[in-house]
Structure formats: structure tokens, C-alpha cells
């Protein structure tokens, strides 16, 4: 056995380092998830988490990694054989595409070079060609964790509207949530996918779907098989502050603390801090004579 002095400092894009305040909050004893104390926590969190997504819509919280929330987003609103439009912006967009294919969806894949975000003009052109409205969803990764390439979500929304296309708009915010400005409601997103282990400063294990109004309507018609991920069951239990199955109680303690920290700093200041560190990193990379994507 070797002894390592000091504290392990994680230097990867995510999971990120969990602040001590959050770690301490999670070390409290696990409580009965069917009791009144949990109910109060559930109600507080289900309401409070909306702010980071910029929404007043319901936020479904899964005890799962981000991949689960990807799958949930697809199976809750789509049917076998539905066409979805996806863009090769990097590693995670490629993984989401593979999940869609395994779910039996027909992916219209726009190839890319992993160096730039989604081109809104291409979105519009692609959707204008689809006169029969066979495409049921447009899926975009907001921030490609593998490269740091971000897509301009409001401009993609604008392109969908310009093409007068009714497809649902789904956005992966797994590494942008709590790091880059994001506004589910204002930007007209139908389903937002998020996860705990990056800007939310939590360990891996929680993930999220924001359920827009149009997405909820599509949910009623969607025929892909779903059980664990079924929004209806979660939303029904959430009305009283509970979950249909055992929630990740200690991660929820952590979420409560993380939300308090984000609120104390203020989201605009959080985003400014991330932007400053991003710019510092880019300047360092340029000074080393390396290329920026
Ligand atoms: C942008 C993005 N999407 C999806 C995922 C997949 O999430 P997970 O690894 O938590 O299943 C990640 C993970 O890093 C990610 O960064």
C-alpha cells in the first residue's frame, strides 16, 4: 500500500471536483424516501432545479448518468422508425446518434469535422427539404465536452421556425448546464437533457429531462417502449414530492447544496467565471502555439 499525501484533484472535463460543502451535505444519513421529510426535500428540489435550466416546466430527475437521460428523452416522445435529425459536432453527438439507432429510430446524420457547432443555415435547409414533415426531432449537443465546441441554441431554434417545421427540439446540456448561459423556455427547447457531474458540481448519478409543453403532448402519442424512463410515472409521483422508485437520496442532498451555492454566487457570475477560465485556457493554448477548435 502506498500513501499519497494531499487531496486528489480531478483534472478532466467531468466529473468535476465536488466542493466540500456538497460532499458534507451528501454525508448525512439516508432518510425514508416515502416519508414527510423526504417529501419536503423533493418538493423543494423539483421546484428549485428549474432555475438552472431557465424553465418553469417540470424537470424529471433520474437516478442515472447522462446516457440514461439521453435515452429517456428519445423514448418518451418518439415512435419506432421516426426520423430524427442529428449533427456530428463531436464525440457525444455521435454517442447520442448510436443510442437513437439502437432505439429503432431513423437518424438523418449531418457529418461534421468536430471543429464547429451546428450550422443553423444547414438546419433550415435540411428541414425545408422535408416537406412531408417526416423528421420528428432535431437533436443538438449544446457543448461538446470532448472538444469544447458549443452550438448556438437560439439560432438553431430560429432555423427550425424559419423552415416552419414542427419537429421537436432536443438539447443536451450535460456539460453546459451551470457553466454556459442556457434558457430552456426562452430559447424554445422542447426537451433538455442534463446531468449532475459537471457544472452542477455533483458526483455522477443524477440526470434530468426538462419536459416542454409540446414534448408532453408528443409523449401521449409516442410508442417506443419505456418503463424505467416513463415521464408519466415520474411526473405523477413528483406532484406530491415523491419518486416512483428509490431516488438517489444522498445525491439529492448534494443537489440542494449545489443549488444553494449557485444561487449565492448568482448564475450570471457563475457563467462569467467559466467564460473567464475558458478564455484564460484559450490564451494559454495559443501561447503554446497550438490550434483552437
Ligand atoms: C455532452 C455530454 N453528453 C452526454 C454525456 C454522457 O453522459 P454520462 O457519461 O453521464 O452517461 C456526456 C458525458 O461526459 C457529455 O459530456
Amino acid at each position: 500500500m502506498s500513501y499519497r499525501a494531499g487531496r486528489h484533484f480531478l483534472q478532466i472535463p467531468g466529473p468535476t471536483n465536488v466542493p466540500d460543502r456538497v460532499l458534507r451535505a451528501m454525508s448525512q444519513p439516508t432518510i425514508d424516501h416515502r416519508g414527510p421529510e423526504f417529501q419536503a426535500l423533493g418538493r423543494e428540489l423539483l421546484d428549485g432545479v428549474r432555475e438552472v435550466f431557465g424553465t418553469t416546466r417540470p424537470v424529471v430527475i433520474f437516478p442515472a448518468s447522462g446516457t440514461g437521460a439521453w435515452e429517456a428523452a428519445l423514448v418518451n416522445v418518439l415512435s419506432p422508425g421516426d426520423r430524427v435529425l442529428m449533427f456530428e459536432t463531436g464525440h457525444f453527438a455521435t454517442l447520442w446518434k448510436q443510442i437513437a439507432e439502437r432505439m429503432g429510430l431513423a437518424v438523418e446524420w449531418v457529418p461534421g469535422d468536430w471543429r464547429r457547432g451546428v450550422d443553423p443555415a444547414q438546419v433550415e435547409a435540411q428541414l425545408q427539404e422535408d416537406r412531408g414533415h417526416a423528421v420528428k426531432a432535431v437533436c443538438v449537443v449544446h457543448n461538446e465536452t470532448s472538444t469544447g465546441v458549443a452550438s448556438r441554441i437560439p439560432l438553431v431554434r430560429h432555423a427550425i421556425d424559419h423552415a416552419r417545421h414542427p419537429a421537436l427540439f432536443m438539447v443536451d446540456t450535460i456539460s453546459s448546464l451551470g457553466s454556459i448561459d442556457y434558457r430552456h423556455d426562452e430559447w424554445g427547447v422542447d426537451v433538455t437533457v442534463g446531468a449532475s457531474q459537471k457544472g452542477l458540481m455533483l458526483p455522477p448519478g443524477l440526470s434530468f429531462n426538462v419536459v416542454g409543453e409540446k414534448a408532453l403532448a408528443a409523449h401521449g402519442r409516442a410508442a417506443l417502449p419505456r418503463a424505467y424512463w416513463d415521464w408519466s410515472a415520474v411526473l405523477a409521483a413528483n406532484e406530491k414530492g415523491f419518486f416512483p422508485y428509490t431516488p438517489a437520496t444522498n445525491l439529492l442532498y448534494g443537489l440542494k447544496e449545489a443549488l444553494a451555492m449557485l444561487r449565492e454566487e448568482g448564475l450570471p457570475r457563475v457563467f462569467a467565471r467559466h467564460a473567464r477560465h475558458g478564455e484564460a485556457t484559450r490564451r494559454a493554448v495559443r501561447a503554446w502555439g497550438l490550434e483552437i477548435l
Side-chain angles (χ1 to χ4, degrees), residues 14 65-68 70 92 141 143-145 172 174-175 195 197-198:
S65 85
T67 303
W70 263 345
F92 291 103
V141 175
N143 183 65
E144 268 291 350
T145 318
D172 169 341
I174 287 175
S175 63
Q197 72 269 25
K198 294 189 169 79

